[in-house]
């Protein structure tokens, strides 16, 4: 699937699942991860919106194994070199990063980071916001430098808004894990499938074998608009009319 599809499904997954998952004591009441603005059993509007954006960015992370993917191009040579390394270590595109093990590891790592290193948490949140904006096409067509500046400006603006709203990040690991997992689920709907149970090499397709072809008309002209409508609908349900 294309980057914007992964990002939108990440946002949908968060808006659909987070309110229910927030009720789990192990998620919301861990003594080390309680933060201002989050109560057991509920997420405030600011956390829901911030989480949707972060989860959308996290849904791009498995494609770090693809040097030509959106995520590998987002931050220039740094992410490209990292992508080349991940591609080699993970056994190529749709290798280790497209698995349940990767989603769990990223979620746990983000959860640990959120409660241990505030600066590291801030950097991760900013990067994931930037990835989400890049994935949905925020920028100036045909102008890489202009697009990068627009992305940086909007990312900084959104993070500043979240700071002003007192957004807590006890949910960060949950959002990252969900984002990575929904990416894998999405790619299991394509013809190639994913090694969900890596290190086992067998590729999994969803039972109904939809067989979506990446980048074709269905994904761009039909699926993308439907996902956009779903996001707006979920925001309306979760937040109510503004």
């Amino acid at each position: 699937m294309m980057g914007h599809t992964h990002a939108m499904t990440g946002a949908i997954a968060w808006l659909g699942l987070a309110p229910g998952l927030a009720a789990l004591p192990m998620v919301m009441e861990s003594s080390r991860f309680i933060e201002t603005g989050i109560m057991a059993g509920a997420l405030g509007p600011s956390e829901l919106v911030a989480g949707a954006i972060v989860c959308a960015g996290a849904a791009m992370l498995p494609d770090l194994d693809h040097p030509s993917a959106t995520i590998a191009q987002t931050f220039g040579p740094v992410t490209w070199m990292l992508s080349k390394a991940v591609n080699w270590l993970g056994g190529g595109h749709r290798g280790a990063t497209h698995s349940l093990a990767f989603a769990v590891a990223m979620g746990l790592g983000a959860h640990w980071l959120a409660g241990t290193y505030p600066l590291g948490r801030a950097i991760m949140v900013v990067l994931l916001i930037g990835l989400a904006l890049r994935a949905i096409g925020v920028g100036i067509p045909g102008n890489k430098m202009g697009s990068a500046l627009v992305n940086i400006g909007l990312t900084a603006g959104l993070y500043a808004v979240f700071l002003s709203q007192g957004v807590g990040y006890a949910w960060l690991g949950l959002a990252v894990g969900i984002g990575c997992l929904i990416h894998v689920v999405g790619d299991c709907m394509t013809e190639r499938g994913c090694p969900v149970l890596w290190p086992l090499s067998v590729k999994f397709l969803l039972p109904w074998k939809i067989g979506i072809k990446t980048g074709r008309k269905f994904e761009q002209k039909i699926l993308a608009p439907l996902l956009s409508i779903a996001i707006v609908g979920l925001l309306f349900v979760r937040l109510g009319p503004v």
Side-chain angles (χ1 to χ4, degrees), residues 26-27 30 32-33 58 61 99-117 120-121 124 128 169-181:
M26 63 179 291
V27 175
S30 173
R32 293 187 61 195
F33 294 96
L61 291 176
S99 68
L100 179 61
F102 179 79
V104 171
M106 292 300 295
L108 291 176
H111 188 62
W112 171 80
L113 188 66
T116 307
Y117 296 105
R121 176 188 65 198
M124 172 172 277
L128 291 176
Y169 291 99
W171 46 264
L172 182 61
L174 189 62
V176 170
I178 290 174
C180 291
L181 182 60

Side-chain angles (χ1 to χ4, degrees), residues 5 26 42 50 56 64 99 112 115 123 139 165-166 172 198-199 205-206 216 226 232 238 242:
T5 303
M26 63 179 291
L64 191 58
S99 68
W112 171 80
I123 292 172
Q165 294 297 310
L172 182 61
W198 181 89
L205 294 169
L206 290 181
R216 298 296 179 86
L226 288 176
V232 173
R238 298 304 185 197
V242 179

Side-chain angles (χ1 to χ4, degrees), residues 21-99:
L21 293 175
L24 297 175
M26 63 179 291
V27 175
M28 304 313 302
E29 294 184 309
S30 173
S31 61
R32 293 187 61 195
F33 294 96
I34 291 178
E35 300 231 7
T36 303
I38 298 180
M39 299 181 294
L43 286 171
S46 297
E47 282 77 23
L48 279 170
V49 173
I53 296 173
V54 167
C55 194
M60 303 294 292
L61 291 176
D63 272 349
L64 191 58
D65 66 358
H66 192 337
S68 297
T70 300
I71 182 173
Q73 307 301 318
T74 299
F75 301 108
V78 175
T79 46
W80 185 81
M81 290 295 292
L82 179 60
S83 179
K84 293 288 285 187
V86 172
N87 178 274
W88 180 74
L89 291 170
H93 182 45
R94 295 203 185 187
T97 63
H98 286 66
S99 68

Side-chain angles (χ1 to χ4, degrees), residues 143-227:
N143 188 331
K144 290 185 177 180
M145 180 59 70
S147 296
L149 292 175
V150 170
N151 186 298
I152 291 171
L154 288 177
T155 297
L158 282 171
Y159 187 68
V161 169
F162 296 155
L163 283 177
S164 69
Q165 294 297 310
V167 171
Y169 291 99
W171 46 264
L172 182 61
L174 189 62
V176 170
I178 290 174
C180 291
L181 182 60
I182 203 66
H183 181 116
V184 174
V185 172
D187 277 352
C188 282
M189 297 170 65
T190 64
E191 293 181 315
R192 291 181 57 190
C194 292
V196 178
L197 298 181
W198 181 89
L200 298 179
S201 60
V202 60
K203 297 289 183 72
F204 286 80
L205 294 169
L206 290 181
W208 50 88
K209 194 177 180 180
I210 296 175
I212 295 173
K213 294 183 177 180
T214 302
R216 298 296 179 86
K217 183 179 294 185
F218 173 77
E219 183 176 4
Q220 297 191 57
K221 303 297 184 181
I222 299 175
L223 185 58
L226 288 176
L227 293 176

